[in-house]
Amino acid sequence: MTQQTSTQNPALAALSAEGVSVWLDDLSRDLIRSGKLADLVATRSVVGVTTNPSIFQAALSKGHAYDEQIRELAAGGHDVDASILAVTTDDVRAACDVLAPVFEATGGLDGRVSIEVDPRLAHKTDATVQQALELWRIVDRPNLFIKIPATVAGLPAIARVVAEGVSVNVTLIFSVERYERVIESYLDGLTAAKAAGHDLSTIRSVASFFVSRVDTEIDARLEEIGTDQALNLRGKAGLANARLAYAAYRRAFEGGTRFEQLAAAGALPQRPLWASTGVKNPAYPDTLYVTELVAPNTVNTMPEKTLEAVADHGEVTGDTITARIGAAQQVFDALASVGVNLQDVFRKLEDEGVEKFVVSWKDLLAATKEQLAAHAPNAEG
């Protein structure tokens, strides 16, 4: 939680007071240089920032904020990959500096900025570890999170990176089953970090559990089934899935034997982070994945549109998760009973999630290559 002042928006301040850390799912050089990011910290209870390949692709494709740096990189003979690395890490480092006071005020809980490993490495463990450690070294800020996808290859990478004392944001989690494996990877990493002599109190982690995409995929399948029973389940899966994830978090970190042993050495819980919280179906309230996912020790990262919707008309009514975990299981039982293949849903969502980021990364590569060529016409691509 952040310390509130009279300038903070009441709805977002109320969300923060319930134990939900408000993070912004966006970053650009304009956002930093204009002072808008600092303003969101001051007026919207924002205490963290998440990025992904799609966000960087959008930022570099708009306006001229990056022209000068691209010109310098072209003159220096930097290739496309090196140029993207320089541009993205510079933005993240600058955002870390904006949020440094929050980091200090919260004892390292918040004030965090996330940067993701190249999505083309999502199924390559060793390469993911190598780049994660490289990003940690280049950005060189204690309030950084390295984002690693929760793919099968990502799970051992998470453990190995945490073992090096690096703070990790695990992304692209869609199922509770995979989330439980993510928790085990985090605990494996902490165990190794302890053995290596690292100060466990300096290692932080969040687990980014995607919400709206679950409803989008499952709603489509329910409409294809078409029965009244199926149609009545639309818009319920995403929240139910997240609530069951919160139950898994509590099992592991509130009384879990393995974590308690590590906590005695200074280890801290891996908080659930609700991601993909922008509502994609206009029939649903635009604050649905915020006001209905309120519980202590959680994070909600929101695109600015969702953040402003909550600020304008969000109604925070206290904890909307803990007492509804039993009902969430009933939703999943009902989904299975009408014929929704949940394993197939989660497998498809993970595959599509990785592919979407790869496509955005390739678009970013192509756009940057064009800009480098324009500033250095005689340089090789």
Side-chain angles (χ1 to χ4, degrees):
M1 286 186 293
T2 182
Q3 187 176 12
Q4 305 300 337
T5 71
S6 59
T7 61
Q8 295 286 6
N9 172 267
L12 290 162
L15 190 64
S16 179
E18 291 291 339
V20 181
S21 291
V22 176
W23 289 9
L24 177 70
D25 192 29
D26 194 17
L27 186 65
S28 68
R29 194 156 294 181
D30 283 337
L31 190 71
I32 298 165
R33 288 180 173 175
S34 67
K36 186 171 183 179
L37 178 58
D39 184 62
L40 291 172
V41 173
T43 67
R44 293 292 186 264
S45 296
V46 168
V47 293
V49 170
T50 49
T51 67
N52 61 45
S54 300
I55 285 170
F56 279 130
Q57 189 271 331
L60 268 76
S61 299
K62 296 175 184 173
H64 301 284
Y66 299 92
D67 288 359
E68 182 180 350
Q69 185 174 15
I70 292 292
R71 192 176 298 113
E72 292 173 356
L73 291 165
H78 290 75
D79 65 15
V80 176
D81 286 298
S83 298
I84 290 173
L85 182 66
V87 167
T88 56
T89 54
D90 281 0
D91 275 4
V92 168
R93 187 184 305 106
C96 282
D97 290 344
V98 172
L99 287 162
V102 176
F103 177 75
E104 294 296 330
T106 61
L109 180 69
D110 285 309
R112 298 279 177 169
V113 183
S114 298
I115 188 170
E116 190 156 347
V117 296
D118 184 332
R120 295 172 297 176
L121 307 178
H123 302 297
K124 299 176 180 178
T125 303
D126 290 346
T128 292
V129 172
Q130 182 179 352
Q131 195 187 59
L133 298 178
E134 180 186 27
L135 290 168
W136 183 258
R137 177 183 58 79
I138 292 171
V139 176
D140 192 27
R141 292 294 186 272
N143 52 331
L144 179 69
F145 267 136
I146 304 297
K147 289 180 82 172
I148 298 175
T151 56
V152 171
L155 294 170
I158 293 158
R160 286 168 57 184
V161 172
V162 169
E164 296 291 335
V166 173
S167 295
V168 171
N169 175 345
V170 184
T171 188
L172 287 176
I173 307 173
F174 293 98
S175 72
V176 174
E177 180 183 18
R178 182 59 57 86
Y179 175 45
E180 290 173 335
R181 293 184 65 185
V182 166
I183 292 171
E184 288 302 310
S185 293
Y186 175 56
L187 298 177
D188 288 345
L190 289 175
T191 301
K194 180 185 175 185
H198 288 289
D199 179 357
L200 299 190
S201 70
T202 66
I203 303 171
R204 299 276 184 163
S205 184
V206 293
S208 294
F209 206 85
F210 281 51
V211 186
S212 68
R213 294 188 194 181
V214 172
D215 273 339
T216 299
E217 178 62 28
I218 289 181
D219 282 2
R221 297 185 184 213
L222 292 169
E223 287 167 5
E224 189 174 332
I225 293 166
T227 63
D228 288 345
Q229 186 183 4
L231 296 176
N232 285 336
L233 291 168
R234 287 177 296 183
K236 296 180 179 179
L239 293 176
N241 200 34
R243 288 165 177 161
L244 292 173
Y246 188 71
Y249 156 78
R250 294 188 66 184
R251 286 194 299 271
F253 295 107
E254 296 180 6
T257 303
R258 190 177 180 200
F259 175 69
E260 282 193 341
Q261 292 171 347
L262 291 163
L268 296 155
Q270 179 188 57
R271 291 185 295 169
L273 180 153
W274 313 129
S276 182
T277 55
V279 173
K280 295 177 173 60
N281 187 335
Y284 300 156
D286 55 2
T287 61
L288 180 69
Y289 302 124
V290 180
T291 59
E292 293 301 311
L293 289 176
V294 176
N297 303 315
T298 59
V299 181
N300 195 308
T301 188
M302 311 173 209
E304 189 178 356
K305 182 178 179 182
T306 302
L307 182 77
E308 291 303 328
V310 176
D312 181 64
H313 52 267
E315 296 183 12
V316 178
T317 58
D319 186 334
T320 50
I321 293 181
T322 306
R324 304 181 189 183
I325 290 169
Q329 185 58 55
Q330 292 173 6
V331 169
F332 266 64
D333 293 343
L335 289 167
S337 73
V338 299
V340 175
N341 184 334
L342 293 166
Q343 283 191 322
D344 184 65
V345 166
F346 296 134
R347 183 169 52 246
K348 181 180 179 184
L349 286 170
E350 181 180 303
D351 290 345
E352 287 181 349
V354 171
E355 182 57 29
K356 284 177 182 177
F357 283 165
V358 168
V359 169
S360 293
W361 198 259
K362 288 179 176 177
D363 289 345
L364 178 57
L365 287 167
T368 305
K369 185 176 181 178
E370 286 183 11
Q371 291 181 43
L372 287 168
H375 290 298
N378 298 320
E380 293 185 2

